[in-house]
């Protein structure tokens, strides 16, 4: 039925607008640098570039996590991981190890560490070659999960 198809399209489009708009509204609580990463992620969603949206959203949460680890000049991190000898954010290891170290530095909880590792796994699927093709809804959900998690630490 053509009329049902039109209504379904309109209904879906309206839901997308509301969801994207709600993501934009959540950015007001974040620091400008992190909001910029997420704004780029949302623009990717609007353009149908879902894998890139996930990568950009992940960049926002990594920026926040690194910022928290750097807050004391990496003193706590170098105490917990002395072999790393971190002086700048560029000295930090890969994201997976950084998340574990953040937990060991009491920047995040064990539960948050597990959540971040899950988000990282999804980001890796999006960032690396393969047949991963996230839907609009899963991409919106991923970005919203990143924003929610950023508000928790």
């Amino acid at each position: 039925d053509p009329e049902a198809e039109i209504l379904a399209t309109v209904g879906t489009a309206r839901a997308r607008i509301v969801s994207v708009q709600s993501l934009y509204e959540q950015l007001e609580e974040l620091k400008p640098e992190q909001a910029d990463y997420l704004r780029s992620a949302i623009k990717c969603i609007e353009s149908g570039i879902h894998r890139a949206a996930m990568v950009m959203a992940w960049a926002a949460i990594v920026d926040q996590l690194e910022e928290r680890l750097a807050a004391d000049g990496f003193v706590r991190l170098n105490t917990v991981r002395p072999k790393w000898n971190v002086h700048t954010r560029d000295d930090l290891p890969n994201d997976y190890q950084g998340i574990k170290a953040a937990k060991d530095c009491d920047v995040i909880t064990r539960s948050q560490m597990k959540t971040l590792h899950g988000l990282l796994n999804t980001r890796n699927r999006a960032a690396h070659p393969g047949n991963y093709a996230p839907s609009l809804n899963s991409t919106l959900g991923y970005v919203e999960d990143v924003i929610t998690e950023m508000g928790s630490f």
Side-chain angles (χ1 to χ4, degrees):
D1 176 14
E3 187 175 309
E5 285 180 24
I6 291 170
L7 290 174
T9 302
V10 170
T12 302
R14 183 164 187 232
R16 288 181 195 168
I17 292 167
V18 170
S19 295
V20 167
Q21 185 58 39
S22 71
L23 291 177
Y24 276 120
E25 290 167 3
Q26 293 177 59
L27 302 184
E28 296 170 11
E29 309 282 322
L30 302 173
K31 291 193 172 184
E33 301 84 11
Q34 291 143 15
D36 284 345
Y37 284 122
L38 289 161
R39 204 169 287 107
S40 293
I42 297 166
K43 287 178 183 175
C44 287
I45 292 171
E46 291 171 326
S47 299
I49 310 168
H50 299 154
R51 289 172 64 161
M54 290 177 164
V55 173
M56 291 307 299
W58 179 253
I61 204 164
V62 167
D63 185 70
Q64 179 176 305
L65 191 62
E66 289 178 353
E67 186 178 84
R68 299 283 159 74
L69 287 169
D72 68 352
F74 299 107
V75 171
R76 177 84 176 132
L77 179 62
N78 284 317
T79 301
V80 171
R81 298 283 191 285
K83 291 181 180 178
W84 287 5
N85 197 26
V86 176
H87 298 288
T88 70
R89 292 168 80 167
D90 290 335
D91 298 332
L92 290 167
N94 67 50
D95 292 349
Y96 188 90
Q97 291 177 351
I99 292 165
K100 176 108 176 58
K103 182 251 178 212
D104 293 342
C105 291
D106 297 321
V107 170
I108 58 174
T109 66
R110 180 177 174 84
S111 176
Q112 289 167 323
M113 178 188 73
K114 289 179 178 184
T115 300
L116 290 176
H117 280 153
L119 290 169
L120 173 59
N121 183 54
T122 302
R123 175 264 178 211
N124 287 343
R125 290 181 67 201
H128 299 287
N131 60 358
Y132 182 58
S135 69
L136 170 66
N137 286 336
S138 65
T139 306
L140 287 168
Y142 181 86
V143 173
E144 186 162 39
D145 287 350
V146 165
I147 294 169
T148 298
E149 205 56 37
M150 289 176 74
S152 73
F153 67 89

